[in-house]
Amino acid sequence: MYTPNQYKHYAEQACEFEKQESWKLAREMWDLAEASAQEGSLDRFWAHSRATFCAIREQRTDKKNKLRYTIAPKP
């Protein structure tokens, strides 16, 4: 459903979460922004691209954190 004011709100929130490296929350906000953007618009394309970027960063961060806790330092 196309709602420009909601798109702007969600996009701004997503940007703030990206600055904080809160990738999961940023991805969720970009998903909402995409849903509120007009079908076929550049806003919708941009929101989808950013959500994908955040999802990849989220996965990489999770992998890095798992490795950090599974590899014990040598005594």
Side-chain angles (χ1 to χ4, degrees), residues 53-67:
F53 171 81
C54 291
I56 292 168
R57 293 300 304 249
E58 181 183 358
Q59 289 173 350
R60 288 182 181 174
T61 301
D62 287 347
K63 279 184 184 178
K64 194 181 291 184
N65 287 339
K66 285 178 184 174
L67 282 175

Side-chain angles (χ1 to χ4, degrees), residues 11-63:
E12 288 172 349
Q13 291 293 317
C15 289
E16 290 302 315
F17 285 128
E18 284 187 24
K19 288 177 188 175
Q20 298 168 20
E21 296 184 3
S22 298
W23 305 115
K24 182 178 188 285
L25 294 172
R27 179 185 49 79
E28 290 171 358
M29 288 295 111
W30 282 122
D31 286 340
L32 291 170
E34 180 183 3
S36 65
Q38 189 171 14
E39 186 71 37
S41 69
L42 287 176
D43 287 341
R44 192 174 188 110
F45 174 78
W46 180 253
H48 179 79
S49 298
R50 294 308 302 172
T52 301
F53 171 81
C54 291
I56 292 168
R57 293 300 304 249
E58 181 183 358
Q59 289 173 350
R60 288 182 181 174
T61 301
D62 287 347
K63 279 184 184 178

